Amino acid sequence: QAKAAGRNTFQFFTKSMNETVSRRMHIEQALRQAIKRQEFILHYQPVVSLDTGEIIGAEALIRWQHPDKGLIYPDSFIEIAEEAGLIEPIGQWVIEQACTDLRLWHDLGMKIQVAVNVSSRQCKQTSQTPIKDIIKKALKVNNISPSSLKVEITESSLMDNSEEMMTTLQDIRSLGVAIYMDDFGTGYSSLSYLKHFPIDVMKIDRSFIAGSIDDKTDASLVEAVVLIGHSLSLKLVGEGIETKQHYDYLRSLGCDYGQGYFISKPIESTALIALCQHVDNPPKWSS
Ligand code: C2E
Ligand code: MG
Ligand code: MG
Ligand code: MG
């Protein structure tokens, strides 16, 4: 049977594998160019206090402005950048750009914080410039208080290299920068991570929020996560709030903060400034 299909199967796999490999190499090459030509941009998604509705911060989300292909989202290139060893320069740019934008916002009188996503490969102790030094310098250059910057790390990256991550997260935290655990609930060992790592805030993954209205299990999990977080003296962010129902539900549970399309999609810095300057009191999403 295997023999009968053998030859064709082999050719099929070889061809598609080659295509995948060459496609990756092409993207890698394009990414190297993108770094040189500064083709990246940050969009910011507002994070609000569910209690007051006020915008307290924003999450920086990278996009690639490809000269031919238009805006490319991170799910299509971050993993390739990581594997190609390009996430360090890209990640450094993200931290520096977010701090530059934050400086401008503060100069305009906006009282907000910024959260940047960091992948495990940016956290190597052997990096030429350790991430702690990159952060420290970006804060200093822009005269920003460390309490205005947050670092988001996913559960799966805690799994990658626990020892090294532990040291790096402690280094970052010793600067006064808080650590957010992103996509909480989607990893494998969430609870033991909470015990071992220096986490300040948990972000409840949007898959649970999406299910919480119709699915009893998702609702129970969201409620349990809020209780666990609060009993550990952590703050909680609900991700992926798409409807008023999601918003009201999380608010009723005492979840501290929220973000999602219902409040705002990720937007350019200029649009965030406009939003903050024209926000009603109370804002439309909380009334
Ligand atoms: P994340 O950190 O969990 O970011 C949230 C993602 O959910 C964003 O997708 C955001 O646009 C999307 N989102 C927000 N609200 C809603 C909603 O109400 N409904 C739905 N369906 N989606 C919503 P995005 O921008 O495509 O980013 C995807 C992931 O890429 C991020 O997930 C993060 O893990 C990663 N990423 C983004 N920027 C960076 C970066 O600068 N560095 C690294 N290492 N990773 C990044
Ligand atoms: Mg995030
Ligand atoms: Mg997330
Ligand atoms: Mg995610």
Side-chain angles (χ1 to χ4, degrees), residues 66-126:
H66 194 283
D68 315 316
K69 299 196 176 77
L71 211 58
I72 304 180
Y73 288 82
D75 286 337
S76 313
F77 68 87
I78 287 292
E79 203 183 308
I80 298 173
E82 285 172 351
E83 285 164 11
L86 299 172
I87 197 66
E88 286 191 60
I90 295 174
Q92 176 167 355
W93 176 83
V94 169
I95 292 165
E96 291 168 355
Q97 187 62 45
C99 288
T100 306
D101 288 335
L102 190 60
R103 177 71 263 152
L104 172 71
W105 301 340
H106 285 179
D107 287 344
L108 293 170
M110 292 154 63
K111 290 191 184 62
I112 69 175
Q113 319 163 343
V114 73
V116 294
N117 292 283
V118 161
S119 70
S120 62
R121 295 191 196 210
Q122 290 172 256
C123 296
K124 293 197 302 264
Q125 287 287 311
T126 52

Side-chain angles (χ1 to χ4, degrees), residues 59 75 117 154 182-183 186 205-206 239:
E59 176 176 8
D75 286 337
N117 292 283
T154 60
D182 207 352
D183 302 348
T186 57
D205 190 70
R206 72 179 147 88
E239 296 189 280

Side-chain angles (χ1 to χ4, degrees), residues 37-58:
R37 297 182 185 165
Q38 310 222 11
E39 291 171 358
F40 299 105
I41 181 175
L42 292 181
H43 281 182
Y44 292 97
Q45 185 172 41
V47 178
V48 302
S49 154
L50 291 177
D51 184 23
T52 63
E54 137 195 59
I55 298 172
I56 58 111

